[in-house]
Amino acid sequence: MQNFKIIIEYDGSAYHGWQRQPTDRTIQGEIESTLMTMTENRVTLIGSGRTDAGVHAFGQVANFRCNTSLGAEVFQNGLNSLLPEDVVVTSCEAVPEKFHAQYDVKSKTYHYRILNRRLPDAIFRRYAWHIRKKLDLNAMRNALYYIVGRHDFKAFEGSGSPRTSTVRCVMNADFVETDNGYLVLKIEGDGFLKFMVRNIVGTLVDAGLGKITLNDFKRILASKDRNLAGITAPAHGLFLMEVKY
Amino acid sequence: MQNFKIIIEYDGSAYHGWQRQPTDRTIQGEIESTLMTMTENRVTLIGSGRTDAGVHAFGQVANFRCNTSLGAEVFQNGLNSLLPEDVVVTSCEAVPEKFHAQYDVKSKTYHYRILNRRLPDAIFRRYAWHIRKKLDLNAMRNALYYIVGRHDFKAFEGSGSPRTSTVRCVMNADFVETDNGYLVLKIEGDGFLKFMVRNIVGTLVDAGLGKITLNDFKRILASKDRNLAGITAPAHGLFLMEVKY
């Protein structure tokens, strides 16, 4: 039995998220059926976690175990020639059999891209949330720093997600300004609740628009009440950048 | 009668090029029908020139004349709210009535993007030509310098284009390497023949792959024979960046 770890880059625009579904196209579903073609066996792909419909990834990680004589390079090349062009396996390596892409996660880093200027971007419109009104980056950054550390993030959790605890640790978080009006939230945590990054972004944007104060933001986090937080930011601004083990 | 100059950014992926067509979606067609909605008049949009199906633009320029009391800002905002999201009017200004977006062109700058590495790019796959084999950038640059200046570019002309002369002047041309394996050809000329940039790129790639020598490239340009030149590089790597007047 061999165990392979793969790193996957994908454009989530055309997919109903990571997790395999009976009818809709998903990333896990596409890769599993390609692996079945290659190995002539049913292979289960274990992802580091789900990404929602429309979310992109530069560094999603997954592993699969199978009884095969094929090597890592053959798997990588085979997957890349058979997968649709919006899914690319950027790395494939043989790992010890006990490696588990979900249970062994140490941290995940997400980026959320906002385009903050009057004009939309025709060419990269699928990869950022366009907000016309000028955001106060300082206010957003100050609010953001409240979430760094170990907190109960229940106020920022989407409904209907299975989990035992809503406490998570955010190790790093920052907002950076890049060219042409793009703002990028970079956030690293030991785990994220359903919609957590997008709900944090929606609430930070309220702070950036002056709809809530820094104190309001602090109170929302402490309240553990989803109804007090802002909207769920759109999926297409979110990128899973890196998973550490 | 007012005359307006607009600058347009578009993602060409979903369009059959610039020029209005009876049935297929085109950039000119979309903008003209939006102008008709706004002015309740038939308005002709004069582009700086056509772009082929699938070609993108950051800085296409066009003008339209019409009898209207609407101002430039109203046109820009109206167009941007009515046009599909892959077409954005980045500037709109009133200009003297004699301004003609096609006849008055002084120069045009195109970029052609090549992704030169083993792995494709899942997320930006629509905006570069992916070439796996390592290209010799120096060989391509040296060949490129032969086309700078005033030349008869017949060898690089696509068939079936109406024109009186195949002589054009290329003022600037260079290849630059950017991050992550991207190479960008930047070329400025007083005008371009049909498929000229893409045919030049296809032939430069032959030089970069060692299929032809520097001398071959020189001979191809001098031959005025399209059959000797390389393939037409795919449309989706090409961007019309700027039109000067």
Side-chain angles (χ1 to χ4, degrees), chain A residues 79-237:
Chain A
L79 283 165
N80 282 334
S81 57
L82 296 169
L83 282 168
E85 62 174 4
D86 47 9
V87 180
V88 174
V89 175
T90 59
S91 157
C92 178
E93 54 171 334
V95 288
E97 200 177 328
K98 65 178 196 325
F99 174 80
H100 191 287
Q102 188 189 346
Y103 299 154
D104 296 350
V105 171
K106 285 232 163 54
S107 81
K108 287 185 183 179
T109 301
Y110 280 95
H111 285 185
Y112 193 95
R113 287 161 50 86
I114 292 173
L115 176 60
N116 189 216
R117 65 178 192 204
R118 194 173 58 91
L119 288 173
D121 186 324
I123 296 186
F124 301 121
R125 69 196 176 283
R126 292 185 186 86
Y127 311 106
W129 182 17
H130 181 217
I131 296 176
R132 280 185 175 74
K133 281 194 192 160
K134 184 72 191 153
L135 294 168
D136 180 343
L137 190 59
N138 262 339
M140 292 170 79
R141 220 181 246 143
N142 286 332
L144 178 65
Y145 295 151
Y146 277 117
I147 70 158
V148 178
R150 183 167 300 277
H151 301 283
D152 187 332
F153 286 100
K154 200 170 188 315
F156 296 112
E157 183 191 38
S159 59
S161 48
R163 41 76 192 152
T164 48
S165 159
T166 49
V167 174
R168 294 290 183 275
C169 180
V170 171
M171 288 89 114
N172 288 297
D174 204 2
F175 254 114
V176 296
E177 220 165 342
T178 66
D179 288 346
N180 304 320
Y182 281 96
L183 306 177
V184 185
L185 166 71
K186 303 182 174 185
I187 185 167
E188 179 179 7
D190 63 356
F192 291 90
L193 304 169
K194 187 180 178 188
F195 292 168
M196 178 171 144
V197 179
R198 292 162 60 192
N199 288 340
I200 288 172
V201 170
T203 315
L204 288 172
V205 163
D206 283 346
L209 293 171
K211 289 186 190 173
I212 60 170
T213 65
L214 201 55
N215 241 323
D216 294 334
F217 188 89
K218 195 177 157 185
R219 262 197 298 265
I220 291 166
L221 174 62
S223 73
K224 304 178 200 172
D225 181 355
R226 173 67 189 94
N227 296 313
L228 297 181
I231 64 160
T232 304
H236 68 279

Side-chain angles (χ1 to χ4, degrees), chain A residues 9 11 121-123 125 127, chain B residues 9 11 121-123 125 127:
Chain A
E9 180 183 309
D11 181 335
D121 186 324
I123 296 186
R125 69 196 176 283
Y127 311 106
Chain B
E9 180 183 310
D11 181 336
D121 186 324
I123 296 184
R125 68 196 176 283
Y127 311 106

Side-chain angles (χ1 to χ4, degrees), chain B residues 89-100:
Chain B
V89 175
T90 59
S91 157
C92 178
E93 53 171 336
V95 287
E97 198 176 333
K98 66 177 195 327
F99 174 80
H100 191 287

